[in-house]
Amino acid sequence: MNRLEKLRSMLKEKQADAIFINSPANRYYLSGFTGTAGAVIVTPNNAFFITDFRYIEQAKEQCGHFEVLEQTSSVLKTLQKKSEELGWKSLAFEKDHLTYASFEQLKAHTEAELIPVTGLVENIRLYKNDEELATIQQAVDIADRAFKHITSYIKPGIKEIDVSNELEFFMREQGAVSSSFDIIVASGTRSALPHGVASDKEIQNGDLVTLDFGAYYQGYCSDITRTVAVGEPADELKTIYQTVYEAQIKALEEIKPGMTGIEADAIARDYITEQGYGRSFGHGLGHGLGMEVHEGPRLSPKGEQKLEPGMVVTVEPGIYVPNVGGTRIEDDIVITETGNQKLSQSPKELMIIGK
């Protein structure tokens, strides 16, 4: 069953005559369109792609299973015309991706009953096929090569922002369109900031440096984190690092299908708590990864969804001690029939660089 067929099956359950898709990621997932303007409408028997004159030829080339419609004055005007032509009684829309102002405009352009839905396309996206997994693997490989490169670049006196820029430039040279998100480079006491986006701080001898980055490649993301030491770190920082390292290894060994996100999270969380750092691990163990860097399922104390084969998730425990420092180690994995397969291969034993 292909993506459109799966969505049509869900539409039937919602008793909707059509669905309006305006989320860029979901639009791309369903249609293959890589441009920046357009909307998808799917019905039980039709699939329409609406865009303006700039993208008509591109849409015809990329959206093989869609009838491409050139919008008149707006996407919604074209939707209105098609709604009247086909006599839709109900129209589903993505409530998580439509502002209230856009909802009011949509309401003004159709007589159909509007049905708010959430997660329909996202639930299909949870399961990656072989082609998607191959693309994600390429994105991960770029990030792995970037880590190897950056370990020979970092040294005392270099600014965090310079490290971030070097990672970005290198990944683009390797074929990435961009980084998957704002690159995190946090050194010294700033490594206690889970989302310490690169600053003008100079990296000092004895600092731990947390590097959280990923490549956006052919529509898919990678997301890895490594923490390295520049020169010899303090004993407490070594203890923090070793605790995170052991928690992450334990989680990678035990995560398997049928386990909930809560149970997966608890593997690492319980270990870190036993070592006395439970209060310093304040985020979830991981998240889904695909066309967006944060997707379902969640590996966290609230992650009730079960892990199933084909899901790609991150595994990223961390410890963050204010005014001391912190460590996070993150790998990307795919859930298999019997356990999981690690996609990222960068070394993660404590690496002392920049001597």
Side-chain angles (χ1 to χ4, degrees), residues 214-235:
Y216 182 64
Y217 176 79
Q218 294 187 3
Y220 287 82
C221 301
S222 58
D223 180 8
I224 71 172
T225 305
R226 291 294 185 266
T227 301
V228 298
V230 178
E232 194 71 24
D235 288 346

Side-chain angles (χ1 to χ4, degrees), residues 27-100:
R27 178 184 68 204
Y28 173 58
Y29 182 75
L30 293 171
S31 70
F33 180 72
T34 59
T36 58
V40 163
I41 300 171
V42 177
T43 77
N45 301 307
N46 305 99
F48 303 105
F49 190 90
I50 304 173
T51 191
D52 64 55
F53 74 96
R54 297 172 298 169
Y55 296 107
I56 290 297
E57 294 306 315
Q58 179 181 344
K60 288 179 179 178
E61 182 179 319
Q62 294 181 330
C63 309
H65 298 290
F66 287 75
E67 178 183 344
V68 177
L69 305 176
E70 183 174 352
Q71 69 186 60
T72 51
S73 59
S74 70
V75 167
L76 293 182
K77 282 286 188 182
T78 305
L79 177 148
Q80 181 180 34
K81 183 178 179 181
K82 190 57 65 174
S83 175
E84 293 169 353
E85 178 185 321
L86 298 180
W88 298 336
K89 300 297 183 185
S90 56
L91 175 65
F93 67 94
E94 302 177 291
K95 70 177 186 179
D96 296 328
H97 303 293
L98 205 68
T99 65
Y100 186 72

Side-chain angles (χ1 to χ4, degrees), residues 278-351:
R279 294 175 63 86
S280 300
F281 178 23
H283 56 72
L285 179 63
H287 54 82
L289 182 70
M291 295 182 117
E292 295 177 290
V293 75
H294 287 99
E295 301 184 347
R298 298 169 62 189
L299 278 59
S300 78
K302 297 181 180 179
E304 297 181 354
Q305 186 165 16
K306 287 187 177 181
L307 303 179
E308 298 182 49
M311 293 180 174
V312 176
V313 298
T314 66
V315 180
E316 49 180 305
I319 292 174
Y320 315 92
V321 180
N323 302 314
V324 176
T327 290
R328 181 166 64 254
I329 302 172
E330 175 184 23
D331 283 303
D332 303 334
I333 67 171
V334 57
I335 305 301
T336 65
E337 295 290 341
T338 57
N340 70 80
Q341 178 183 338
K342 189 158 65 73
L343 303 178
S344 40
Q345 302 299 328
S346 292
K348 52 194 172 187
E349 296 82 4
L350 181 59
M351 184 182 295

Side-chain angles (χ1 to χ4, degrees), residues 86-320:
L86 298 180
W88 298 336
K89 300 297 183 185
S90 56
L91 175 65
F93 67 94
E94 302 177 291
K95 70 177 186 179
D96 296 328
H97 303 293
L98 205 68
T99 65
Y100 186 72
S102 297
F103 167 75
E104 288 186 314
Q105 292 175 14
L106 178 61
K107 189 174 181 180
H109 282 84
T110 180
E111 296 296 324
E113 175 192 0
L114 294 179
I115 302 175
V117 296
T118 185
L120 264 62
V121 180
E122 286 86 349
N123 285 336
I124 303 172
R125 284 169 48 194
L126 285 173
Y127 307 94
K128 276 64 178 182
N129 61 29
D130 289 344
E131 183 179 351
E132 289 178 288
L133 289 174
T135 304
I136 293 171
Q137 183 65 71
Q138 288 178 289
V140 173
D141 290 346
I142 291 172
D144 276 340
R145 292 196 293 272
F147 176 69
K148 182 178 181 180
H149 169 74
I150 208 67
T151 55
S152 64
Y153 177 85
I154 296 173
K155 60 184 178 181
I158 285 183
K159 293 181 179 179
E160 293 174 350
I161 191 65
D162 293 332
V163 175
S164 173
N165 289 339
E166 184 68 18
L167 280 168
E168 176 86 26
F169 295 152
F170 182 87
M171 288 191 293
R172 287 175 181 260
E173 287 176 348
Q174 295 293 307
V177 173
S178 65
S179 55
S180 299
F181 51 90
D182 288 341
I183 294 172
I184 292 170
V185 180
S187 63
T189 57
R190 290 191 76 252
S191 62
L193 302 175
H195 281 184
V197 174
S199 72
D200 284 332
K201 177 190 175 298
E202 291 186 356
I203 294 171
Q204 304 296 320
N205 193 55
D207 282 355
L208 287 185
V209 184
T210 296
L211 309 161
D212 188 347
F213 59 98
Y216 182 64
Y217 176 79
Q218 294 187 3
Y220 287 82
C221 301
S222 58
D223 180 8
I224 71 172
T225 305
R226 291 294 185 266
T227 301
V228 298
V230 178
E232 194 71 24
D235 288 346
E236 183 176 3
L237 294 176
K238 289 182 180 179
T239 299
I240 289 170
Y241 188 96
Q242 188 64 22
T243 302
V244 173
Y245 173 80
E246 292 172 359
Q248 208 245 7
I249 293 295
K250 186 173 177 62
L252 291 173
E253 289 175 345
E254 297 183 23
I255 289 175
K256 61 184 179 180
M259 180 179 285
T260 66
I262 295 171
E263 292 168 331
D265 176 272
I267 297 169
R269 191 171 303 281
D270 289 351
Y271 181 81
I272 289 173
T273 299
E274 289 168 7
Q275 306 307 309
Y277 288 103
R279 294 175 63 86
S280 300
F281 178 23
H283 56 72
L285 179 63
H287 54 82
L289 182 70
M291 295 182 117
E292 295 177 290
V293 75
H294 287 99
E295 301 184 347
R298 298 169 62 189
L299 278 59
S300 78
K302 297 181 180 179
E304 297 181 354
Q305 186 165 16
K306 287 187 177 181
L307 303 179
E308 298 182 49
M311 293 180 174
V312 176
V313 298
T314 66
V315 180
E316 49 180 305
I319 292 174
Y320 315 92

